[in-house]
């Protein structure tokens, strides 16, 4: 304040403008949360399978095949959902007019595009026609590598997509939310591959993926706790916690995405045999369903913040929005 | 056909509107009488449909908020116990508008390049490019831009881009009967606003302050200035404005970085587990 006498604002006492919304909220619906879940699962599965086949190419051959198919299915479904969610879908290609590093929606399109292209190649290389043709097999491996790397990007950039907004619920805890997004994606990708292995009767390799899913589940439960703590500190969560559907959504996703897979995998290890197999598969299904629910819950919580202008104002107090270390 | 209307800014006020110079609004809320002529002039010039469906019941403000088809909105605050420590009731009125932020969060978020910065330093959505992805909507810290359900494109104030090109000031500024809305070159407006604030302080209106000029509330968290700025007399929240908005793109690196780091950590664990105990 150079030319103006310094004026200090009196303290904010929680006033709003007649409770009117102060921010606008996205018109996004389940198609966007569905995209985040499906593309994240496919990306993480491809990354895990790439890593796994570097360590144990023989044992994880079938898993790699599964991941390649999942990546193809996930990127196709994801692209369809993203385009369908545009309000002027016939102009979807305008996304490719520019590349803007300040917009996760922009650079994310390119990460997802690279993933989709490489996944198409890697899935093609699984086709029967490829057989012993060396060049194609080699190309398939290269595509797998690209797809695995960009898959990690697809699973994680979505954290920036939601954090880099002015929505208080999404913006308050970028770092912890980043951890949560990675954890959920890896848990879902590993659970999907574990199911694939179980269904193919390869219990030994399935158990490896279940261990990965369990660790990732622990990671995202931890990250979610950090997110919630930060939201509370910023005064962002209280208004949303007053909404019953929001509370219910949050609790059910914690149970289904957090507790159920862990219990399922623990039971599987304790019981063994047929019952153990069923418990593990139930755990993997819960991880997938719970992951979807968490993605959708975050979208809905962001929209619900609309009724609560206080939460946006609380985050936009000096020093609060400037996130340091969370 | 030619539409050469008189370049009224130059002929009446003697200063031409030149591309390459930064222009903006100084909205002095102490002068606003709540007549809503700006809302009407904006709708008329930009051919925006009316949307009021009912009385709000909360105040004389039935418009309630800016939207895809309402680009000026007059907020109306009735303080029956007056300002803090002052028993006189008072009315605060403010004509709200897109802030034409610098840098602009909506522009930074737009993946198609539909939102761009014009030669007048204003922020405009190109209707023939926008694909309705809706990302600019949650990006805006002021709840301004919105996607219209009817045409599937994002809309907001253009600072009357078409009028500026024709040498005319924006319709709202031209119609405002008290000059609460002042249009002009930004540097001149900012000087004038500081002078006005000092004059108000001298007269005892010590609550007056500027919102959105450099180093003031509203111009925070990476947003250097609002090209449409305000003179206010109470907390920003009273007028439905955030006290310290931040630039959303600042959160990309922490979110993406933390997420990639967590992913890498889990990948290392997975590499160990997926080997199946083999060396
Ligand atoms: S106020 Fe909102 S819509 Fe206007 S320029 Fe700033 S971010 Fe964009
Ligand atoms: S809705 Fe239109 S203007 Fe807004 S970010 Fe998407 S393409 Fe850009």
């Amino acid at each position: 304040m150079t030319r103006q006498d310094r004026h200090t604002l009196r303290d904010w006492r929680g006033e709003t403008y007649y409770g009117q919304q102060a921010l606008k909220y996205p018109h996004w619906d389940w198609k966007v949360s569905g995209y985040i879940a499906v593309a994240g699962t496919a990306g993480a599965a491809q990354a895990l399978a790439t890593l796994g086949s570097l360590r144990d190419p023989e044992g994880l051959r079938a898993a790699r095949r599964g991941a390649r198919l999942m990546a193809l299915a996930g990127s196709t479904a994801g692209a369809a959902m993203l385009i369908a969610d545009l309000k002027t879908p016939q102009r979807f290609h305008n996304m490719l007019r520019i590349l803007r590093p300040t917009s996760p929606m922009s650079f994310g399109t390119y990460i997802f595009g690279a993933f989709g292209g490489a996944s198409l190649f890697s899935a093609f290389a699984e086709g029967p026609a490829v057989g012993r043709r060396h060049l194609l097999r080699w190309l398939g491996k290269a595509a797998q590598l690209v797809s695995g790397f960009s898959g990690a990007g697809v699973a994680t950039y979505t954290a920036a997509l939601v954090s880099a907004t002015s929505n208080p619920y999404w913006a308050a805890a970028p770092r912890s939310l980043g951890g949560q997004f990675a954890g959920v994606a890896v848990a879902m990708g590993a659970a999907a591959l574990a199911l694939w292995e179980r269904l193919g009767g390869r219990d030994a390799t399935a158990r490896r993926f279940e261990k990965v899913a369990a660790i990732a589940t622990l990671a995202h439960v931890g990250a979610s706790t950090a997110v919630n703590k930060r939201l509370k500190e910023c005064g962002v969560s209280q208004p949303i916690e007053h909404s019953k559907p929001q509370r219910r959504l949050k609790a059910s996703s914690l149970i289904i995405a957090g507790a159920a897979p862990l219990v399922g995998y623990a039971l599987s290890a304790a019981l063994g045999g047929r019952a153990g197999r069923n418990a593990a598969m139930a755990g993997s299904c819960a991880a997938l369903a719970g992951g979807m629910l968490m993605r959708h819950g975050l979208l809905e919580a962001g929209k619900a913040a609309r009724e609560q202008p206080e939460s946006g104002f609380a985050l936009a107090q000096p020093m609060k929005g400037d996130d340091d270390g969370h | 056909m030619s539409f050469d209307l008189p370049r009224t800014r130059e002929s009446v006020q003697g200063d031409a509107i030149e591309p390459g110079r930064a222009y903006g609004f100084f909205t002095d809320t102490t002068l606003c009488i709540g007549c809503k002529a700006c809302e009407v002039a904006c709708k008329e010039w930009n051919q925006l449909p009316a949307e009021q469906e009912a009385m709000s019941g909360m105040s004389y403000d039935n418009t309630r908020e800016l939207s895809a088809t309402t680009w000026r909105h007059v907020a109306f605050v009735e303080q029956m116990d007056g300002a803090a420590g002052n028993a006189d009731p008072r009315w605060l009125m403010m004509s709200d508008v897109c802030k034409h932020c610098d840098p602009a969060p909506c522009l930074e978020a737009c993946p198609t390049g539909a939102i761009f910065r014009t030669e007048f330093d204003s922020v405009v959505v190109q209707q023939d490019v926008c694909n309705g992805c809706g990302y600019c909507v949650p990006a805006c810290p002021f709840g301004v831009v919105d996607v219209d359900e009817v045409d599937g494109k994002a809309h907001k104030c253009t600072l009357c881009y078409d009028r500026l090109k024709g040498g005319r000031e924006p319709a709202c500024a031209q119609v405002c009967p008290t000059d609460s809305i002042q249009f002009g070159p930004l540097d001149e407006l900012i000087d004038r606003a500081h002078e006005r604030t000092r004059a108000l302080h001298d007269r005892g209106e010590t609550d007056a302050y500027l919102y959105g000029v450099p180093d003031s509330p509203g111009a925070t968290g990476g947003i250097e200035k609002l090209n449409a700025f305000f003179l206010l007399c109470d907390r920003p929240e009273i007028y439905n404005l955030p006290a310290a908005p931040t630039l959303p793109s600042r959160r990309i690196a922490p979110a993406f970085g933390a997420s990639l780091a967590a992913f890498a950590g889990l990948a290392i664990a997975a590499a160990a587990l997926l080997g199946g105990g083999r060396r």
Side-chain angles (χ1 to χ4, degrees):
Chain A
M1 257 176 232
T2 42
R3 284 171 291 181
Q4 188 190 345
D5 296 342
R6 186 171 289 272
H7 170 88
T8 26
L9 292 177
R10 64 167 175 82
D11 283 342
W12 177 56
R13 303 184 208 109
E15 298 101 327
T16 65
Y17 181 67
Y18 303 101
Q20 287 286 303
Q21 66 181 81
L23 293 165
K24 295 214 160 33
Y25 292 92
H27 300 243
W28 296 346
D29 60 14
W30 63 268
K31 295 196 272 319
V32 171
S33 42
Y35 161 78
I36 295 177
V38 167
T41 307
Q46 189 74 307
L48 289 175
T50 309
L51 264 180
S53 23
L54 290 177
R55 297 276 286 123
D56 181 6
E58 289 307 313
L60 294 178
R61 172 154 302 180
R64 190 191 68 187
R65 185 187 169 86
R68 288 181 174 186
L69 296 178
M70 283 174 205
L72 180 63
S75 47
T76 314
M81 284 192 272
L82 273 193
I83 293 174
D85 196 71
L86 297 177
K87 295 293 174 288
T88 307
Q90 64 273 26
R91 287 189 188 166
F92 75 93
H93 56 270
N94 280 2
M95 293 286 188
L96 305 174
R97 282 179 81 233
I98 58 164
L99 168 60
R100 187 162 262 162
T102 56
S103 169
M105 177 85 93
S106 173
F107 67 71
T109 303
Y110 292 91
I111 299 178
F112 182 60
F115 176 67
S119 299
L120 190 67
F121 254 102
S122 74
F124 177 70
E126 287 291 342
V130 175
R132 278 190 298 278
R133 271 180 248 176
H134 284 291
L135 181 65
L136 280 181
R137 287 231 327 256
W138 186 87
L139 268 180
K141 272 192 190 145
Q144 168 101 39
L145 215 59
V146 175
S147 177
F149 261 102
S150 51
V154 168
T156 49
Y157 91 85
T158 42
L161 182 77
V162 295
S163 285
T165 63
S166 294
N167 187 311
Y169 204 81
W170 298 346
R175 286 189 180 81
S176 315
L177 203 66
Q180 189 206 63
F181 268 62
V184 174
V186 172
M188 290 178 81
L193 286 172
L195 269 181
W196 171 269
E197 293 296 89
R198 289 280 184 192
L199 291 172
R202 296 173 293 276
D203 290 316
T205 46
R207 265 190 292 271
R208 299 186 203 166
F209 285 108
E210 281 151 12
K211 277 184 200 139
V212 176
I215 289 181
T217 303
L218 285 174
H220 80 63
V221 170
S224 301
T225 316
V227 171
N228 290 335
K229 188 167 158 262
R230 172 80 178 151
L231 287 172
K232 251 200 196 96
E233 281 167 11
C234 297
V236 171
S237 62
Q238 281 91 337
I240 289 159
E241 271 164 8
H242 291 310
S243 134
K244 210 175 199 179
Q246 283 313 316
R247 275 204 317 268
R248 215 175 276 159
L249 199 59
K250 206 160 138 190
S252 51
S253 46
L254 193 66
I255 292 168
I256 301 174
L262 292 177
V263 171
Y265 297 146
L267 271 181
S268 160
L271 296 174
R274 205 187 154 81
R277 191 167 178 268
N278 289 339
M281 285 175 66
S284 294
C285 289
L288 287 174
M292 297 258 185
L293 211 59
M294 279 182 77
R295 302 313 205 193
H296 196 60
L298 186 77
L299 182 78
E300 288 303 314
K303 286 190 184 177
R306 169 183 13 212
E307 268 78 59
Q308 307 290 349
E310 306 86 324
S311 56
F313 286 155
L315 189 65
Q317 292 305 317
M319 309 316 296
K320 278 223 175 125
D322 279 330
D323 178 74
D324 34 19
H326 291 275
Chain B
M1 220 194 329
S2 151
F3 286 100
D4 274 348
L5 293 166
R7 304 179 76 86
T8 46
R9 179 84 183 186
E10 195 170 358
S11 56
V12 177
Q13 283 174 251
D15 63 340
I17 296 170
E18 299 154 0
R21 210 165 167 196
Y23 289 87
F25 285 129
F26 165 37
T27 305
D28 181 348
T29 66
T30 57
L31 296 177
C32 180
I33 54 171
C35 69
K36 302 180 192 172
C38 50
E39 282 188 23
V40 177
C42 177
K43 293 240 174 204
E44 290 258 331
W45 178 264
N46 294 298
Q47 302 188 314
L48 299 169
E51 54 179 338
Q52 181 187 324
E53 279 150 19
M55 302 295 184
S56 68
M58 64 191 191
S59 72
Y60 289 119
D61 174 10
N62 293 314
T63 311
R64 295 188 185 96
E65 57 174 341
L66 294 170
S67 75
T69 49
T70 299
W71 301 345
R72 270 276 176 193
H73 159 234
V74 180
F76 189 101
V77 180
E78 203 164 24
Q79 292 182 327
M80 291 319 285
D81 356 305
N86 173 357
D88 290 338
R90 64 172 181 173
W91 283 351
L92 303 175
M93 286 156 273
M94 179 194 79
S95 181
D96 196 10
V97 70
C98 166
K99 281 72 186 171
H100 297 277
C101 315
D102 179 19
C106 61
L107 189 159
E108 290 198 336
C110 178
T112 64
I115 304 186
F116 78 116
R117 193 165 282 284
T118 72
E119 64 272 40
F120 305 109
D121 210 23
S122 54
V123 178
V124 173
V125 188
Q126 300 173 84
Q127 294 307 315
D128 53 346
V129 177
C130 171
N131 67 8
C133 75
Y135 196 41
C136 52
V137 178
C140 174
F142 304 99
V144 172
V145 64
D146 206 359
V147 172
D148 191 276
E149 295 290 345
V150 176
D151 74 349
K153 318 279 184 312
H155 301 270
K156 68 171 195 70
C157 161
T158 69
L159 202 79
C160 280
Y161 189 33
D162 47 355
R163 290 175 63 96
L164 297 196
K165 277 178 171 280
R168 308 189 134 208
E169 66 177 346
C172 55
Q174 181 158 345
V175 82
C176 178
T178 62
D179 241 358
S180 169
I181 302 174
Q182 301 172 29
F183 169 84
L186 205 58
D187 44 354
E188 288 176 19
L189 283 183
I190 292 178
D191 285 344
R192 197 189 303 163
H194 281 293
E195 244 165 68
R196 169 74 179 162
T197 315
R198 265 195 301 269
L200 284 169
H201 285 189
D202 290 346
R203 284 201 238 157
E205 183 55 59
T206 50
D207 287 342
Y209 70 102
L210 296 180
Y211 178 93
V213 298
D215 302 313
S216 71
T220 46
I223 303 172
E224 282 159 30
K225 63 179 172 33
L226 308 179
N227 288 3
F229 60 92
F230 301 83
L231 187 154
L232 305 177
C233 289
D234 205 337
R235 289 280 317 182
E237 293 86 359
I238 300 276
Y239 303 89
N240 219 8
L241 296 169
T246 53
L247 203 59
S249 60
R250 282 184 156 194
R251 291 183 277 276
I252 293 176
F256 199 9
S259 203
L260 275 174
F263 198 97
L266 289 169
I268 291 171
L273 291 168
L274 292 178
R278 294 159 47 120
R279 286 290 120 199

